[in-house]
Amino acid sequence: MHFESSLLGTIEFDDRSALTFVADLAGLEGCRRFQLCHDAGVEPNAPRVWWLQSLDQPDLTFSVTDPANLGVRYVLELSDEQAAALKLQRAEDAVVLVMVYKDVLAAAHPALAPLKANLVAPLVINPVARTALQLTGLKADVCFSNRS
């Protein structure tokens, strides 16, 4: 299929690869179908940032990354309802991503804006069923470790 993204241009994808969020993302009613895109020219071992393009709104694109790229590791407990909605067979099959953004209000010029991450509302994805949800209202326990 073809999709015209306002930011990424024409995206070609297989409709079966689209992610369906089982509930609306915070503040985005009725926007549940997304395509995860990446830059094919990135070095294989480089930290990756992907684009999460809405297939419901062409103007809506998020940058997402593995929280491990930021030195963050989640220990999440999903409710039975959340696990069922995601169609998760095993918890270890879930993939967690976080949205990253430039805080353009914190810099004199948008190009110099610091990169920030929304760590309290991660995305949990079942890559097999192509389902996802955003966890909101997380409480953080900070744990420092000298283990790798």
Side-chain angles (χ1 to χ4, degrees), residues 9-22:
T10 302
I11 299 172
E12 292 187 36
F13 66 97
D14 182 342
D15 192 42
R16 294 173 294 184
S17 69
L19 292 173
T20 301
F21 278 78
V22 298

Side-chain angles (χ1 to χ4, degrees), residues 60-148:
L60 186 60
T61 307
F62 297 106
S63 297
V64 296
T65 193
D66 181 337
N69 291 333
L70 307 172
V72 174
R73 182 177 62 89
Y74 284 94
V75 177
L76 300 172
E77 291 182 18
L78 298 177
S79 69
D80 291 341
E81 294 82 21
Q82 290 170 323
L86 283 172
K87 301 176 186 167
L88 266 176
Q89 300 300 316
R90 302 177 317 153
E92 56 270 17
D93 293 339
V95 173
V96 178
L97 297 175
V98 294
M99 293 182 185
V100 292
Y101 61 96
K102 282 195 166 212
D103 187 359
V104 295
L105 299 177
H109 188 280
L112 303 174
L115 191 62
K116 295 190 173 189
N118 183 352
L119 298 176
V120 296
L123 308 176
V124 181
I125 299 170
N126 178 344
V128 175
R130 308 299 296 171
T131 54
L133 65 81
Q134 182 179 37
L135 293 179
T136 57
L138 294 184
K139 294 178 177 44
D141 288 328
V142 177
C143 178
F144 296 100
S145 173
N146 63 356
R147 296 182 295 153
S148 298

